[in-house]
Amino acid sequence: MISSRPFRVPPTIHFGEQATARTGEEVKRLGARKALLVTDAVLAKVGAIDPIVDSLKNHGVDVVVFDEVNCEPVLRHVNEGLALLEEKQCDVLVACGGGSPIDAAKAIGIMATNQGQIKDYMGLDKFKTAGVPVIAVPTTAGTGSEATMFSIITDTDNDVKMLIGSPLLMPKVAIVDPLMTLKLPRGLTAATGLDALTHAIEAYVSLKAQPMTDVLAISAIKLISTYLPLAWGSPDNREARANTMLGALQAGIAFSNASVALVHGMSRPIGANFHIAHGVSNAVLLGIIMDFSLSGNPGRYADIARAMGVGNGGQDAMGVAKAGAEKVKGLIKMLEVPSLTALGVTREKLEPVVKKMAEDALASGSPGNNPRQATAEEIVNLYYAAL
């Protein structure tokens, strides 16, 4: 029997080349007049936000730019963005960038109408009031944040990456334009693409998976495993960029409704303690955790392998699942993702914090969705294996 589960997506999604031209019209449709554009300084400097600014101005929308989100968002970004939103009396947020500006914009918008600080809302479903509406325009094919009800903000006082989730955080509009990814560096293309692949894989094997998310997760796995290597190897390949971005969007919708699992639970403490980008943290863990998790649901992992073009009728489910895990590890290696050691995380640096990292991973709740449950001791061993 299939139990009843909600399935949530942004009310409006524009996908395709030149979709950014729709930004101004969507702001006007929401009844807004003044936008706070949340982005990072590099995107502002290279002109990546120009099509969005032009679209807003062409529709008579005033624009205030907040370009301080140059790293994964922290409490300061939320507080400073909120102060600017209130000072300039903006009535809509437009987020342009990777997951960081989008997550920051979600947090800014929701805190405009709720009391206290964002860290008071760590966890799920704690907001009472809908926030200032957010329009999300991703510049990477990876995080899926444009289509999720989650925001990840780092509490720098306690070195904790806070997972904050609520249907009220869902963007009102997602504008997904593959042209926005054409200038993405190869390393970032790899990291964000593997982040999206992790979303799709974990959504499919999650204990909270449902029929609607299964369809999107398998489609995303097919698209990303096929087109990410092409987008990485030939950055100007518009077909590869478009299909990778479509896969990332589908993966974002899938995990937002099915949740993530052990990889994400373990990756957040890596980012909080060692300041390694989220996508890279996921990538260095994905293959190792797949090996660990296969026995929990070999049939599902075999489906993933077949979606990647691996496996034949002569193998049992576990044999196909193992071949799929090897395919994923080969893809990670081909995309030149460094190990934790290469990223500066030595055994000596890991040892003093690894037990707390395991506790934080379990406390996030994500590992509870994994097909094979991990103890704190097993998580510690997995961190060491990732070195």
Side-chain angles (χ1 to χ4, degrees):
M1 184 175 68
I2 299 173
S3 60
S4 174
R5 289 282 312 283
F7 184 83
R8 298 184 176 95
V9 295
T12 302
I13 299 174
H14 293 283
F15 177 84
E17 294 188 4
Q18 307 295 345
T20 49
R22 310 294 293 270
T23 310
E25 125 188 14
E26 288 295 341
V27 167
K28 296 297 286 186
R29 188 176 63 80
L30 290 172
R33 297 182 178 181
K34 194 170 190 178
L36 181 66
L37 177 52
V38 181
T39 187
D40 70 55
V42 173
L43 290 175
K45 184 177 180 179
V46 301
I49 66 172
D50 291 354
I52 297 169
V53 173
D54 290 344
S55 177
L56 292 169
K57 290 183 175 179
N58 289 340
H59 285 81
V61 178
D62 292 334
V63 187
V64 177
V65 176
F66 176 61
D67 63 358
E68 297 296 319
V69 191
N70 298 321
C71 57
E72 294 190 352
V74 298
L75 296 176
R76 175 179 64 82
H77 295 134
V78 179
N79 295 335
E80 291 179 0
L82 177 60
L84 187 60
L85 178 89
E86 293 173 342
E87 177 193 344
K88 300 297 185 181
Q89 298 182 317
C90 298
D91 52 3
V92 68
L93 287 134
V94 178
C96 176
S100 297
I102 297 174
D103 280 5
K106 291 178 182 179
I108 293 166
I110 202 75
M111 291 312 301
T113 56
N114 288 271
Q115 299 296 314
Q117 299 184 61
I118 190 67
K119 62 183 178 181
D120 300 331
Y121 297 91
M122 181 177 174
L124 301 177
D125 299 322
K126 295 184 178 180
F127 296 106
K128 302 294 185 184
T129 308
V132 173
V134 174
I135 296 176
V137 188
T139 59
T140 67
T143 71
S145 185
E146 71 276 4
T148 78
M149 57 179 224
F150 300 105
S151 177
I152 297 177
I153 306 294
T154 298
D155 177 354
T156 45
D157 297 332
N158 298 296
D159 282 336
V160 173
K161 274 196 171 187
M162 303 182 296
L163 175 64
I164 302 161
S166 166
L168 299 176
L169 286 170
M170 182 73 72
K172 293 297 184 185
V173 182
I175 296 178
V176 187
D177 187 340
L179 295 182
M180 298 293 282
T181 70
L182 286 177
K183 295 181 180 179
L184 205 63
R186 292 178 78 200
L188 200 51
T189 295
T192 54
L194 289 169
D195 187 16
L197 182 62
T198 306
H199 293 155
I201 289 172
E202 293 210 297
Y204 192 72
V205 301
S206 169
L207 299 183
K208 294 181 178 178
Q210 54 169 300
M212 290 286 286
T213 60
D214 285 350
V215 172
L216 290 166
I218 288 294
S219 177
I221 291 164
K222 289 179 180 177
L223 287 168
I224 295 166
S225 63
T226 300
Y227 288 100
L228 175 58
L230 298 175
W232 179 81
S234 302
D236 294 331
N237 186 327
R238 287 161 67 151
E239 180 186 9
R241 290 288 191 184
N243 281 295
T244 303
M245 200 167 201
L246 178 58
L249 172 63
Q250 292 174 343
I253 296 171
F255 92 80
S256 184
N257 289 281
S259 192
V260 286
L262 183 57
V263 176
H264 276 75
M266 287 180 60
S267 74
R268 294 185 197 107
I270 291 175
N273 284 274
F274 300 106
H275 310 294
I276 294 171
H278 176 68
V280 176
S281 298
N282 279 342
V284 298
L285 292 170
L286 179 57
I288 292 163
I289 292 177
M290 284 185 74
D291 282 339
F292 171 84
S293 304
L294 295 181
S295 62
N297 197 333
R300 286 249 153 184
Y301 281 105
D303 292 342
I304 290 167
R306 294 185 186 102
M308 298 177 68
V310 176
N312 58 60
Q315 292 176 292
D316 61 10
M318 181 57 84
V320 177
K322 287 180 178 178
E326 291 302 314
K327 174 85 170 184
V328 169
K329 288 187 283 186
L331 177 60
I332 293 168
K333 183 177 181 180
M334 188 198 76
L335 297 178
E336 300 178 357
V337 176
S339 67
L340 281 182
T341 302
L343 292 164
V345 182
T346 62
R347 189 177 185 90
E348 291 72 25
K349 291 180 180 178
L350 184 61
E351 207 161 60
V353 295
V354 70
K355 288 186 178 180
K356 183 179 184 301
M357 288 171 63
E359 292 168 3
D360 289 345
L362 287 169
S364 74
S366 298
N369 303 317
N370 208 57
R372 177 184 172 186
Q373 297 294 291
T375 65
E377 183 179 357
E378 287 171 325
I379 290 174
V380 167
N381 290 335
L382 288 167
Y383 277 129
Y384 280 122
L387 292 176

